[in-house]
Amino acid sequence: MELSEHIKTANVEDVTLRRPFHPALRGTLCVTSHHLLFSDRKDEASWQLLILLKNIDAIEKSVENLFGYPRAVGSSGTITIKCKDLLVLQLEIPGMEECLNIASSIEALSSLESVTEMYPFFYRPSHLTLNGPWGLSSTEQYYKQTERLWDRWRVSTVNSDYSVCPSYPSAVIVPREVDDDKLIHSARFRQGGRFPVLSYCHHRNGMVIMRSSQPLTGANKKRCKEDELLLQAVIDGSELGYIIDLRSAQQAQQARMTGGGFESKSFYSHWKRIHRHHERGKVVQESLIKLVEACSDPSHSVDRWLSKLENSKWLSHVHSALSTAGLVVECVERDGHSVLVHGSEGTDNTLLVSSLAQLILDPASRTVTGFLCLLEREWIQAGHPFQQRCAHSAYSHARLKQECPIFLLLLDCVWQVWRQFPLALEFSEALLLRLAQEVYASNYGTFLCNSEQERCAAGVKENTHCLFQSLLRPDIEEQYLNPLYEPTDLAIWPSVHPQSLQLWTGLFLRWTEYAQNMEEAREEVWSIVKEHHEQAGPDRTNNTLSTHCDTLTSFENLMDELTIL
Amino acid sequence: HTHIYTVEQVKLLDRFSNKSVTGTLHLTATHLIFVESNSTSAQEIWILHHHIASVEKLSLTTSGCPLLIQCRNFRLVHFVIPRERDCHDIYSSLLRLLRPVSYDELYAFSYNPKQNDQEREEGWQLIDLAAEFERMGVPCDQWQLTDVNREYKVCKTYPRDLYVPITASKPIIVGSSKFRSKGRFPVLTYFYQEKKAAVCRCSQPLSGFSARCLEDEHMLQAISKANHNSRYIYVMDTRPKLNALANRAAGKGYENEDNYSNIRFQFVGIENIHVMRGSLQKLLEVVGTRSLSMTDYLVGLENSGWLRHIKAIMDAAIFLAKAVTVEGASVLVHCSDGWDRTAQVCALGSLLMDPYYRTIKGFMVLIEKDWISFGHKFADRCDQLDPDPKEVSPIFTQFLECVWQLTEQFPQAFEFSEWFLIQIHEHVHSCQFGNFLGNSQRQREDLQLKERTYSLWAHLLSEKQNYLNPLFSPSVAESHPVLEPSTQAYHFKFWRNMYNQYDRSMHPRQSILKHVLTLQESKRELEGTVQALKTKLQKFGVSTSPLKPQTPPRERSLPPRPQSLILGAPLLSRKEVQQEEDKEVFGEEAREDAPASTGGERTVEGSSATENGYGELMGSFGSKNEPGVVTLEFGVARMTC
């Protein structure tokens, strides 16, 4: 079925658009295969609102005059559109039939399942060509750039046809002394074939963060020699490594009943296991739904607000993610030991914790490029199932399947780190907000599909544009830079006291009056800081002034000598 | 400054982690001082005796005798003293020192910042309330200065100079004062020139169930007549209606709308001092909990009710500001005695209406006017002189917090940053300056504070640089003179920098505020140097041709670590203490200013793993057969063997 067949009514005139904190507008509404377009033609400089249909999470229609004559004068309907970026719009459409048509078109077109029908495959801006480089880095490139890996680690292409692990990229980094055969065995012993691979090698002491899925020990306490050897090779002679298991000890025990399990001490004698409970899947999705619901009602009393905020548990998830990441960093940086992180599937919380740990540890991942590379390696290539996780956001009435806002949780945690270290990250909140939007609905192909394999099959790289490449274009990148950036080589340990963590108002209160005020304030704050940097910033003026000073001092010395002569 | 006591080998425990440091504890006549013995990162803690709210000796442990000290500035220190006897001695000396019996024993009377008498007098003259009323446009054709309280005969807790409507004759004033609790009759506190609307304050009427007083009715009539813009005046009773009703049984109460012509009566429901005291206590318990979970934190925050009370005060102030600026109506504000809630609402309301009060000087004037001169009972509320514990209440702290909440909503509207508010809070309790001593102006005159003590305002103004808000924009004040804050629930945030101000592990490790201030400072210094060198060169007759700026590789270094415990906080509180402390006692200077040594652990701005307690990885990892249970800060993890 052609996409256009879903569109029964393409154009409606005289539609009224209501947005929060803007006066109502009248104009023309137009539905295309991928967009909802509203244009206000009142004056010459017409104003347009273009919304990707994929961005629409839920649509509610209320039709007045339902029992009257369908074409009677004055019959009209209202459509409420709730977007995945948390914006809520209202459209008043004259004519009941048009209203129902538009609503059903939106419903059908906003929930397309086929990847190749999605907008990134049709997005062809004039300033981009499809032949350009796609993505920022690859496993091989990362290996090549990281000299400290060369000695003990190698790139394995055992997964080049995605048969060993369907959710891994074609190339992964593993200990040099472990051959591909062992990897295949280890993969069979891990859920989804996600055998332990290198995620990060610390620049200060060469210790590594590995990630995997749970071992399939099952009820009979099966073991796998190759898996044990693989982990032994990771610590290579050093006494100890840590396994951070992202489930409670009890959950890990229970997992054995369904074929999963944990690394038992007797077979992995050099590894110490620490359990940290992390919520996943549905629970986190429901947190998001509750939080957004709490944020969208401004009439709450202080008590009710705090109670709803607590009840959503969202900040508790932020809290656990940051503390576990802190724990991983503590193992690597302070105790000088390598770490293996996993939960069950190793595609969600595992990635969250390992990438946060890198942000805390590694100055390179705090630049714009570094951060995007981190996301590319640790989320996109590492096989976070974006398509499943981000199918719906906080408003959808659809029955939840695999949805889970783990990536949003990551962005929130990064925001918390940024708040505590406003000088340490090269990027600003704006980049995080942009990513939060792009991950749910995008013109670009970056967040499509669930794994490298699927992306290959769908021809994503050949037929779509890359978001990260476009974010790094100098004119674009500029708007995401943090004017206060001062790089530091040190680990940035975030405080994880509940008092130190806050609601990410920039995201969750984005479309409220609050955000309106704060946005204005923030803009002015930044402009002042920027201006200040230009005037007094250490980059220019200070240097100029101190050079002046130096030169003047030498002048002075010279003059002194002259007078003596 | 006699040095009373020294104990070596005292341990100071961090209240949120397992960290402890060892050092020496000194007890002097005015301070309790802890000096860390580790010479590379020696920190010092100076605690003024007046700041100590309670001392507690806990039961003996294997490592010594624990001594728990809670301070009014929300510091909590936990010492472990090796010998029980030493601990007891310190404990009993502290108990004695903590309870001054007379005003003369307060620190302010011995504090001497090395100023001469003239400087001291000038300090006291900085704030002039007569000039402030003049700035508002009073006296004018409708309002005049009355000398009725010149000798404090009509109202002991009011200042001498009071402003009343022209038409309010002396008999009316005196009659009205007799009908008001503690004689606190309606007087002017703020005049909104643009609409000629007045903000007046008083205490509750002694109306009981049916009593009325014609003079009091005339008084309100006079206030109403003084404003031609509005036919009515608002009477705001800042208490919950139930409290006001209960007061009627005691012969007090509220204005009956039938007896007063053209008044609009309104309750706004701010709770009393006892509720507020309890609420703060609950709040502090929650935020002082070790290994606090997010759930317990949010539930505790809700249960304390603290932010609800803050919102109630804010709501009242907004009501007041709207009535005056939008409707142009005059407003009379009262509560029971008219010195707690009334002060909060009048001061905050004026701050919303008048940009002047959002400057450093103006804020001082505001506090001097609505709090000090109108007799907020600082001595009782802040527990200065061994008073009734039932009189203690964080009323002024709440006012400061409301202002902070506003600075969060309007980052550009205030000339000062939150450190200014925190510093004022510090000194309200320190009894180091004379301003806040006593309960009323009359008492302050009796104590001869202006002759015998120093003014805080002069001290704060001398350090003005530290309190500036670099984002302050006077043009914003011009374009939006009246602040219209939003009171949606999510605007009310927990003020961590106040209530956890000494828990450094909790604070952002880098502060934008501090950063910008440092930049400004260094720019000023460099410009100064350049200027000096230029002058020298001119002396030698060399013309300064513009030099080509070379750009040497910029050194990427961390900004200097701020000396204060709180990151981004200006360095000061200890400065004046150090100046006058007897240095011979310790043989070495306070090393607060020394840059942080980066000895073992290199960290950003003092952030480190140990402070955060992501989970203590304890024990040596060399021994593989370690028993496997490790307690973690965030739940217990079991390391299976």
Side-chain angles (χ1 to χ4, degrees):
Chain A
M1 186 172 170
E2 283 288 309
L3 288 181
S4 52
E5 288 171 34
H6 290 291
I7 304 169
K8 290 172 207 141
T9 303
N11 272 300
V12 195
E13 300 282 340
D14 245 0
V15 173
T16 310
L17 168 76
R18 293 178 203 283
R19 289 179 299 159
F21 309 103
H22 289 278
L25 288 173
R26 285 173 87 83
T28 310
L29 185 73
C30 178
V31 183
T32 71
S33 308
H34 294 104
H35 287 99
L36 191 65
L37 176 71
F38 176 91
S39 55
D40 161 37
R41 295 227 186 91
K42 230 177 233 163
D43 39 39
E44 289 306 303
S46 75
W47 177 87
Q48 288 195 336
L49 177 75
L50 187 67
I51 293 178
L52 262 182
L53 290 174
K54 184 140 189 282
N55 189 14
I56 295 174
D57 203 25
I59 175 161
E60 287 157 19
K61 44 187 186 279
S62 68
V63 183
E64 285 146 38
N65 195 13
L66 198 59
F67 303 106
Y69 302 97
R71 295 201 175 273
V73 186
S75 81
S76 74
T78 304
I79 301 180
T80 306
I81 290 173
K82 298 185 169 177
C83 298
K84 291 173 183 163
D85 61 7
L86 308 181
L87 176 66
V88 177
L89 297 174
Q90 274 193 341
L91 293 166
E92 258 174 51
I93 298 169
M96 195 180 78
E97 200 180 313
E98 284 83 354
C99 175
L100 292 175
N101 282 347
I102 296 253
S104 73
S105 305
I106 293 176
E107 264 165 10
L109 291 166
S110 63
S111 53
L112 296 176
E113 301 255 323
S114 158
V115 173
T116 48
E117 283 181 348
M118 288 179 185
Y119 186 62
F121 282 86
F122 300 89
Y123 178 59
R124 297 289 177 266
S126 54
H127 60 276
L128 291 176
T129 57
L130 279 178
N131 307 323
W134 212 94
L136 305 174
S137 73
S138 65
T139 312
E140 288 91 340
Q141 263 172 306
Y142 177 71
Y143 183 81
K144 243 181 252 168
Q145 287 159 5
T146 320
E147 202 184 326
R148 54 183 181 274
L149 286 174
W150 298 351
D151 195 20
R152 291 187 43 227
W153 300 83
R154 68 184 181 94
V155 173
S156 164
T157 49
V158 65
N159 198 37
S160 56
D161 57 355
Y162 306 107
S163 61
V164 179
C165 171
S167 60
Y168 268 172
S170 56
V172 290
I173 301 174
V174 293
R176 189 170 279 285
E177 58 186 86
V178 179
D179 57 36
D180 283 356
D181 217 32
K182 288 204 186 87
L183 296 179
I184 293 173
H185 280 97
S186 169
R188 287 193 198 128
F189 184 63
R190 295 274 172 179
Q191 184 174 358
R194 295 177 70 91
F195 58 91
V197 295
L198 180 126
S199 151
Y200 170 69
C201 177
H202 191 30
H203 62 106
R204 289 253 283 281
N205 55 15
M207 291 300 136
V208 298
I209 299 175
M210 309 281 296
R211 51 177 164 73
S212 70
S213 60
Q214 64 176 342
L216 302 172
T217 50
N220 317 324
K221 295 197 175 175
K222 268 187 294 191
R223 59 186 289 195
C224 170
K225 266 269 181 290
E226 290 80 2
D227 192 69
E228 290 161 27
L229 283 171
L230 171 57
L231 286 188
Q232 189 57 42
V234 169
I235 46 177
D236 180 44
S238 102
E239 298 137 357
L240 187 86
Y242 284 101
I243 295 172
I244 310 286
D245 192 323
L246 305 174
R247 302 162 295 178
S248 66
Q250 200 192 358
Q251 280 176 322
Q253 281 286 355
Q254 278 167 358
R256 285 175 45 209
M257 297 305 124
T258 50
F262 50 88
E263 294 83 357
S264 93
K265 188 74 192 165
S266 36
F267 304 144
Y268 299 84
S269 56
H270 291 277
W271 290 84
K272 275 201 169 173
R273 218 171 58 243
I274 300 177
H275 288 278
R276 284 308 192 76
H277 176 67
H278 283 255
E279 294 293 352
R280 36 191 227 116
K282 220 176 198 168
V283 179
V284 184
Q285 179 72 21
E286 270 160 13
S287 283
L288 177 70
I289 293 172
K290 282 184 196 161
L291 178 65
V292 169
E293 198 253 305
C295 290
S296 51
D297 188 347
S299 66
H300 288 320
S301 72
V302 174
D303 287 4
R304 185 143 179 77
W305 159 249
L306 287 173
S307 145
K308 289 213 150 201
L309 184 61
E310 188 280 311
N311 193 36
S312 81
K313 300 283 180 212
W314 180 263
L315 284 172
S316 300
H317 305 320
V318 171
H319 182 247
S320 5
L322 279 172
S323 357
T324 308
L327 180 69
V328 170
V329 176
E330 209 177 354
C331 295
V332 173
E333 161 94 4
R334 198 160 71 90
D335 287 308
H337 290 103
S338 291
V339 179
L340 168 68
V341 186
H342 72 71
S344 308
E345 290 102 336
T347 52
D348 297 281
N349 279 321
T350 307
L351 307 181
L352 173 66
V353 168
S354 79
S355 44
L356 276 177
Q358 291 181 52
L359 187 82
I360 297 171
L361 272 175
D362 183 13
S365 66
R366 298 178 211 140
T367 63
V368 176
T369 317
F371 181 63
L372 295 179
C373 282
L374 177 75
L375 295 182
E376 193 170 54
R377 270 192 302 116
E378 287 293 283
W379 288 81
I380 293 164
Q381 292 166 1
H384 175 68
F386 279 104
Q387 198 181 336
Q388 291 172 0
R389 299 293 182 256
C390 300
H392 288 290
S393 167
Y395 292 120
S396 172
H397 305 299
R399 206 169 62 83
L400 292 181
K401 283 178 274 183
Q402 303 260 11
E403 288 82 359
C404 179
I406 285 287
F407 187 74
L408 220 49
L409 192 58
L410 169 87
L411 297 177
D412 195 332
C413 291
V414 175
W415 179 80
Q416 305 281 353
V417 173
W418 170 76
R419 263 196 69 257
Q420 295 189 25
F421 296 90
L423 316 180
L425 306 184
E426 193 195 14
F427 49 88
S428 66
E429 184 180 10
L431 181 67
L432 302 175
L433 289 171
R434 172 83 191 264
L435 290 169
Q437 188 162 9
E438 295 284 343
V439 75
Y440 281 100
S442 176
N443 293 343
Y444 300 89
T446 301
F447 291 114
L448 289 180
C449 301
N450 294 309
S451 64
E452 281 293 282
Q453 186 184 19
E454 287 184 22
R455 272 183 285 273
C456 263
V460 168
K461 286 189 189 179
E462 294 76 30
N463 297 306
T464 72
H465 294 284
C466 171
L467 170 68
F468 294 166
Q469 286 284 355
S470 93
L471 288 180
L472 287 179
R473 284 175 42 211
D475 52 323
I476 310 282
E477 190 190 5
E478 198 183 6
Q479 47 182 305
Y480 299 116
L481 290 179
N482 172 9
L484 295 170
Y485 179 52
E486 294 228 344
T488 166
D489 276 345
L490 305 173
I492 46 173
W493 304 90
S495 159
V496 292
H497 295 284
Q499 292 98 313
S500 313
L501 304 176
Q502 281 192 357
L503 178 73
W504 184 10
T505 47
L507 179 68
F508 294 109
L509 300 175
R510 196 174 184 177
W511 307 107
T512 61
E513 189 186 5
Y514 178 80
Q516 205 78 11
N517 292 343
M518 289 326 270
E519 188 55 38
E520 280 167 27
R522 197 180 306 122
E523 263 169 34
E524 292 187 56
V525 167
W526 282 143
S527 76
I528 284 174
V529 173
K530 266 188 193 156
E531 184 184 311
H532 194 96
H533 256 251
E534 274 152 29
Q535 282 174 7
D539 279 311
R540 228 171 304 157
T541 326
N542 275 8
N543 277 335
T544 334
L545 283 178
S546 39
T547 345
H548 262 285
C549 288
D550 291 346
T551 332
L552 287 172
T553 324
S554 51
F555 256 120
E556 199 183 357
N557 292 341
L558 198 70
M559 291 309 292
D560 281 348
E561 279 173 39
L562 281 175
T563 19
I564 293 164
L565 282 174
Chain B
H1 300 288
T2 44
H3 188 222
I4 310 178
Y5 217 85
T6 299
V7 190
E8 310 265 345
Q9 290 295 311
V10 174
K11 258 197 199 146
L12 172 68
L13 306 184
D14 185 279
R15 72 160 153 163
F16 291 114
S17 72
N18 295 327
K19 246 171 79 169
S20 73
V21 290
T22 311
T24 311
L25 195 62
H26 304 274
L27 184 66
T28 75
T30 52
H31 289 82
L32 183 68
I33 304 154
F34 176 81
V35 184
E36 198 185 325
S37 14
N38 180 355
S39 58
T40 51
S41 65
Q43 64 159 334
E44 287 190 13
I45 293 179
W46 292 61
I47 299 169
L48 195 62
H49 295 332
H50 296 307
H51 271 147
I52 299 179
S54 75
V55 191
E56 212 181 326
K57 224 175 81 181
L58 307 178
S59 53
L60 202 65
T61 66
T62 45
S63 54
C65 191
L67 193 66
L68 195 67
I69 296 173
Q70 280 193 38
C71 301
R72 300 197 173 93
N73 53 6
F74 310 118
R75 189 203 278 274
L76 188 135
V77 281
H78 191 161
F79 293 118
V80 179
I81 297 167
R83 284 173 53 212
E84 209 271 331
R85 245 201 75 176
D86 289 336
C87 183
H88 184 78
D89 285 351
I90 293 229
Y91 174 71
S92 43
S93 327
L94 272 179
L95 280 191
R96 209 175 50 245
L97 289 164
L98 288 191
R99 294 277 162 254
V101 202
S102 73
Y103 277 100
D104 294 353
E105 291 174 54
L106 294 182
Y107 186 35
F109 293 98
S110 57
Y111 170 70
N112 180 1
K114 305 220 160 58
Q115 283 181 3
N116 59 33
D117 285 354
Q118 196 199 338
E119 284 170 314
R120 195 191 57 218
E121 265 169 49
E122 280 169 11
W124 281 112
Q125 283 156 8
L126 271 173
I127 307 294
D128 177 359
L129 288 185
E132 168 57 13
F133 278 97
E134 222 167 278
R135 187 191 67 86
M136 295 177 203
V138 178
C140 61
D141 58 342
Q142 296 294 334
W143 293 88
Q144 64 176 357
L145 179 67
T146 171
D147 58 1
V148 69
N149 203 36
R150 265 291 140 78
E151 309 298 326
Y152 297 114
K153 277 194 182 130
V154 180
C155 177
K156 282 181 215 158
T157 56
Y158 267 171
R160 289 175 191 270
D161 292 344
L162 293 167
Y163 296 83
V164 291
I166 295 259
T167 49
S169 63
K170 250 177 211 173
I172 288 180
I173 293 173
V174 174
S176 168
S177 85
K178 290 200 171 122
F179 188 63
R180 294 275 169 181
S181 199
K182 307 278 195 305
R184 294 170 70 93
F185 60 95
V187 293
L188 181 81
T189 177
Y190 181 70
F191 189 64
Y192 188 67
Q193 235 174 328
E194 205 182 308
K195 302 236 163 129
K196 307 274 178 232
V199 178
C200 297
R201 54 185 289 172
C202 62
S203 61
Q204 63 185 336
L206 304 174
S207 53
F209 290 102
S210 58
R212 54 188 290 188
C213 164
L214 283 177
E215 288 90 342
D216 194 59
E217 288 159 25
H218 277 141
M219 187 74 193
L220 266 65
Q221 187 76 27
I223 293 173
S224 180
K225 287 267 166 63
N227 177 1
H228 301 305
N229 279 321
S230 174
R231 278 180 40 250
Y232 51 88
I233 65 166
Y234 281 101
V235 176
M236 279 175 78
D237 190 328
T238 54
R239 300 167 293 182
K241 188 171 185 186
L242 209 63
N243 300 22
L245 283 172
N247 264 303
R248 280 167 58 175
K252 300 164 186 172
Y254 55 91
E255 291 81 357
N256 183 341
E257 270 179 287
D258 301 336
N259 297 340
Y260 295 85
S261 49
N262 300 325
I263 70 164
R264 294 197 174 175
F265 188 83
Q266 179 81 33
F267 286 112
V268 290
I270 303 172
E271 297 289 348
N272 64 25
I273 58 167
H274 311 293
V275 175
M276 300 308 191
R277 180 177 56 240
S279 173
L280 179 63
Q281 198 161 4
K282 279 189 205 156
L283 179 80
L284 293 178
E285 259 166 49
V286 172
V287 301
T289 314
R290 245 181 105 133
S291 318
L292 182 64
S293 76
M294 186 54 85
T295 300
D296 290 346
Y297 167 65
L298 291 173
V299 169
L301 205 56
E302 183 196 339
N303 289 344
S304 76
W306 182 255
L307 291 177
R308 186 178 68 226
H309 300 314
I310 297 293
K311 181 175 182 315
I313 299 164
M314 196 80 98
D315 282 334
I318 292 169
F319 180 90
L320 169 68
K322 277 211 177 120
V324 172
T325 59
V326 179
E327 292 180 53
S330 294
V331 183
L332 175 65
V333 185
H334 73 75
C335 49
S336 298
D337 290 322
W339 50 43
D340 293 314
R341 290 169 270 207
T342 302
Q344 287 176 330
V345 173
C346 289
L348 200 61
S350 321
L351 183 102
L352 291 176
M353 290 184 262
D354 194 332
Y356 175 64
Y357 296 133
R358 292 171 231 144
T359 63
I360 287 187
K361 177 81 182 293
F363 193 63
M364 294 172 177
V365 169
L366 183 67
I367 292 176
E368 193 72 41
K369 171 169 73 73
D370 269 313
W371 292 88
I372 297 174
S373 85
F374 277 114
H376 174 67
K377 301 201 292 173
F378 279 105
D380 289 358
R381 298 290 179 259
C382 302
D383 196 11
Q384 285 171 358
L385 206 63
D386 196 21
D388 184 356
K390 286 226 165 76
E391 285 282 311
V392 178
S393 190
I395 301 303
F396 186 70
T397 310
Q398 286 184 318
F399 166 66
L400 292 179
E401 173 161 344
C402 288
V403 176
W404 175 78
Q405 302 278 4
L406 289 173
T407 63
E408 286 288 287
Q409 272 196 51
F410 303 97
Q412 293 189 277
F414 291 82
E415 192 193 7
F416 48 86
S417 68
E418 68 178 316
W419 308 119
F420 185 56
L421 302 173
I422 291 174
Q423 198 60 18
I424 291 174
H425 181 263
E426 177 96 3
H427 284 298
V428 166
H429 292 94
S430 73
C431 302
Q432 185 175 343
F433 297 92
N435 308 57
F436 299 106
L437 300 190
N439 283 325
S440 64
Q441 287 298 60
R442 189 178 167 212
Q443 197 180 3
R444 277 175 210 116
E445 283 172 22
D446 291 347
L447 288 169
Q448 295 177 296
L449 289 178
K450 292 195 178 177
E451 290 77 47
R452 298 171 64 201
T453 69
Y454 294 85
S455 168
L456 170 66
W457 307 133
H459 169 72
L460 291 179
L461 277 178
S462 73
E463 294 180 331
K464 193 175 169 186
Q465 287 307 336
N466 289 331
Y467 307 119
L468 289 177
N469 168 16
L471 308 174
F472 174 58
S473 150
S475 63
V476 169
E478 260 167 49
S479 53
H480 304 281
V482 181
L483 292 187
E484 291 170 44
S486 156
T487 56
Q488 278 166 15
Y490 36 67
H491 286 288
F492 294 88
K493 292 184 270 183
F494 170 67
W495 192 6
R496 184 190 53 214
N497 286 353
M498 175 63 101
Y499 304 107
N500 284 117
Q501 59 177 299
Y502 290 96
D503 304 305
R504 49 178 268 166
S505 64
M506 219 168 260
H507 295 282
R509 312 322 174 116
Q510 296 175 325
S511 146
I512 296 180
L513 174 64
K514 178 77 187 174
H515 184 72
V516 175
L517 284 175
T518 316
L519 285 181
Q520 276 177 342
E521 190 56 39
S522 66
K523 184 188 169 198
R524 245 194 311 276
E525 272 170 27
L526 282 170
E527 279 171 355
T529 326
V530 168
Q531 208 48 51
L533 287 170
K534 270 188 187 156
T535 337
K536 263 193 183 173
L537 277 177
Q538 268 165 8
K539 216 171 62 190
F540 291 121
V542 178
S543 68
T544 48
S545 56
L547 296 161
K548 270 182 203 155
Q550 303 160 10
T551 38
R554 181 181 166 199
E555 201 166 315
R556 290 296 196 183
S557 61
L558 291 171
R561 177 176 168 157
Q563 295 90 339
S564 161
L565 274 180
I566 312 169
L567 241 120
L571 180 240
L572 26 97
S573 52
R574 273 151 225 88
K575 212 190 291 163
E576 73 276 2
V577 175
Q578 284 161 18
Q579 276 169 8
E580 42 106 30
E581 264 313 317
D582 212 349
K583 290 206 173 104
E584 284 131 78
V585 177
F586 307 106
E588 56 179 341
E589 261 189 68
R591 250 171 316 186
E592 277 274 321
D593 299 6
S597 140
T598 47
E601 218 173 338
R602 293 214 311 148
T603 57
V604 179
E605 305 256 355
S607 84
S608 77
T610 40
E611 265 175 359
N612 286 303
Y614 305 109
E616 299 284 315
L617 292 167
M618 292 193 306
S620 77
F621 301 110
S623 55
K624 283 163 202 157
N625 304 329
E626 279 258 297
V629 184
V630 172
T631 3
L632 296 169
E633 294 263 330
F634 297 89
V636 178
R638 187 169 288 274
M639 292 186 178
T640 36
C641 296

